[in-house]
Amino acid sequence: MQKTLESLSRKHPNRPIAVTADLANDNLNSICRLSLAWISDGSVHGLTFLIKPPTDEFTCRKITADMVADCQPFADVWDGEIKILLKNAVLSAYSSEQLFLAIKASYEASGKPFSMEDAYVRDLKFLAAAYIADLENFSFLSIMHYMNISVDLDNSLSRAMACACGMNWMENLYPIGNYGLPLSAVMAGALHEPTEEETQRKAEAHKTLEQAAHYMQRLFLPFVLLCLILAGYYLYSLQENAKTHVDFSQYSSVKAVPPEQKPSFPAIETNKEYLMLRGTYIVCDAGTIPEFLDAFQNHDVELIRQMVRSDEVIVFMNPTRVKSLSPADEKGFVLVKILGGEYDGATGYAHSMMLE
């Protein structure tokens, strides 16, 4: 145990700790074994913890009620042994949302609210779907088979070590070193898999787009001809106007900025409700906007994460209604009030391009 913990202290800070759990039964609050694994010193290391669930109802194939009869409840094991090991760590898991919802439910079975300093999670299933195009399906076994990594699916420690090796495999081939979703976003459904109804709606929308593309192909040549005619007329008009144009700006003490150089933003009505989709954001303080825009333009991921964690910037995990309180300023930002959700009543500045 001591050597394993020492290897954890030598783990590179950006390398994730893989987390897996076994449930005693179909209830999310029935975690009976939780395992951690990581890559350190060129090898994979792991720890496993046996836990007594709230009931003695066991359908798990590898853990029995007798094996955990003398073990502590989940909340005690989490607070006393696991939480300190995960402090400030990047985490990884296969199907993260389901795992961390089970951790939350198992902890709260003790009657205490679950809380954890927001960590960043690398989801193996999500990354495999994003980078490995020739996989027929993205089950854990299929991903491990593709990576030539052996795993015992009935053993959480084996799955955790396989997950750690899988993340190491991907980190060596793909640019995922800075990837990570906040744990709060994962538990709010940021990686939620679509239901059958959502999949059907997506298929219908795709079919509609294909039909539109077919009609566009038929209309493409007439459209190009029309564009050429309009472009020719526009150039002709410019030449004619140039003959009689007078630059009145020379009579002004401050030269005016040509209108065509000013950015154009959608017209926003004050005191009107708008919809902001998932992934859009508001900046809570007007003074923070320049700093946030600089961070965005300079790809300063750490600063953006810090601003999100400190609630200087609120990122919406679900479509949210807001009410405009001002017109757009010269940069396109509008003062809005959030209507509903976790931040109900809060105000901040949203860009007019994000309001629908």
Side-chain angles (χ1 to χ4, degrees):
M1 169 71 81
Q2 186 61 35
K3 289 184 177 180
T4 302
L5 292 175
E6 289 175 357
S7 73
L8 179 58
S9 67
R10 295 192 297 272
K11 180 186 71 68
H12 189 280
N14 198 39
R15 286 291 178 90
I17 298 177
V19 186
T20 59
D22 287 327
L23 298 180
N25 50 62
D26 292 336
N27 296 317
L28 279 178
N29 67 0
S30 67
I31 290 180
C32 58
R33 178 168 58 183
L34 187 140
S35 299
L36 310 176
W38 58 89
I39 301 292
S40 179
D41 304 324
S43 301
V44 60
H45 306 268
L47 290 171
T48 194
F49 303 88
L50 289 176
I51 297 159
K52 182 176 176 59
T55 70
D56 289 335
E57 179 188 355
F58 273 75
T59 56
C60 179
R61 288 179 288 182
K62 293 292 184 178
I63 305 293
T64 65
D66 291 339
M67 292 173 62
V68 298
D70 298 327
C71 296
Q72 293 180 308
F74 183 87
D76 294 341
V77 178
W78 180 268
D79 288 338
E81 301 185 62
I82 300 173
K83 191 173 181 179
I84 187 65
L85 301 178
L86 302 182
K87 186 175 182 180
N88 299 322
V90 177
L91 308 179
S92 69
Y94 174 83
S95 193
S96 306
E97 181 183 359
Q98 182 178 7
L99 169 68
F100 286 104
L101 287 178
I103 289 174
K104 181 177 184 291
S106 296
Y107 187 93
E108 293 182 345
S110 65
K112 298 185 293 185
F114 177 77
S115 64
M116 181 178 177
E117 182 179 345
D118 203 9
Y120 282 85
V121 180
R122 294 176 189 165
D123 188 282
L124 181 62
K125 184 176 182 180
F126 175 80
L127 289 171
Y131 287 101
I132 306 176
D134 51 345
L135 265 177
E136 291 185 2
N137 67 75
F138 298 98
S139 68
F140 187 67
L141 189 60
S142 295
I143 295 172
M144 292 299 102
H145 180 73
Y146 184 89
M147 297 176 177
N148 198 26
I149 298 172
S150 59
V151 60
D152 178 3
L153 294 181
D154 291 328
N155 188 311
S156 68
L157 181 58
S158 176
R159 297 198 310 275
M161 297 178 83
C163 183
C165 292
M167 292 303 304
N168 185 62
W169 185 93
M170 296 203 68
E171 288 170 354
N172 290 331
L173 291 178
Y174 302 108
I176 66 170
N178 290 323
Y179 166 78
L181 276 177
L183 177 59
S184 57
V186 171
M187 296 179 70
L191 295 175
H192 175 69
E193 296 184 14
T195 63
E196 183 177 345
E197 182 180 352
E198 291 171 339
T199 303
Q200 184 177 357
R201 283 203 303 266
K202 185 176 180 181
E204 291 174 352
H206 182 69
K207 183 178 179 180
T208 302
L209 287 174
E210 286 183 338
Q211 292 174 342
H214 173 70
Y215 288 120
M216 284 298 296
Q217 288 177 350
R218 295 179 60 183
L219 297 172
F220 181 70
L221 184 57
F223 177 74
V224 171
L225 291 175
L226 178 61
C227 288
L228 290 174
I229 294 171
L230 292 175
Y233 177 76
Y234 176 73
L235 292 174
Y236 170 77
S237 299
L238 286 179
Q239 292 175 349
E240 291 298 312
N241 290 337
K243 298 176 183 178
T244 57
H245 176 68
V246 178
D247 184 10
F248 290 100
S249 64
Q250 61 181 311
Y251 301 107
S252 172
S253 58
V254 179
K255 189 169 184 178
V257 177
E260 63 271 14
Q261 293 182 10
K262 295 181 180 179
S264 177
F265 303 118
I268 301 298
E269 298 181 28
T270 306
N271 294 322
K272 181 178 178 180
E273 291 188 13
Y274 292 89
L275 181 67
M276 297 189 69
L277 301 180
R278 186 169 78 174
T280 58
Y281 60 86
I282 68 170
V283 182
C284 296
D285 189 283
T288 311
I289 293 175
E291 182 183 7
F292 178 73
L293 293 179
D294 287 343
F296 216 93
Q297 292 169 356
N298 296 328
H299 305 287
D300 191 342
V301 177
E302 289 305 317
L303 179 56
I304 293 174
R305 286 177 177 173
Q306 179 182 339
M307 296 174 80
V308 172
R309 284 198 293 264
S310 61
D311 283 339
E312 293 179 83
V313 175
I314 296 173
V315 180
F316 293 114
M317 293 299 106
N318 295 291
T320 303
R321 301 204 69 81
V322 299
K323 182 179 182 181
S324 62
L325 302 179
S326 73
D329 63 15
E330 59 182 7
K331 293 183 179 179
F333 281 90
V334 178
L335 179 62
V336 299
K337 179 180 180 181
I338 300 175
L339 306 177
E342 180 182 357
Y343 296 94
D344 183 31
T347 59
Y349 293 84
H351 200 278
S352 56
M353 299 291 288
M354 297 183 182
L355 303 178
E356 297 193 2

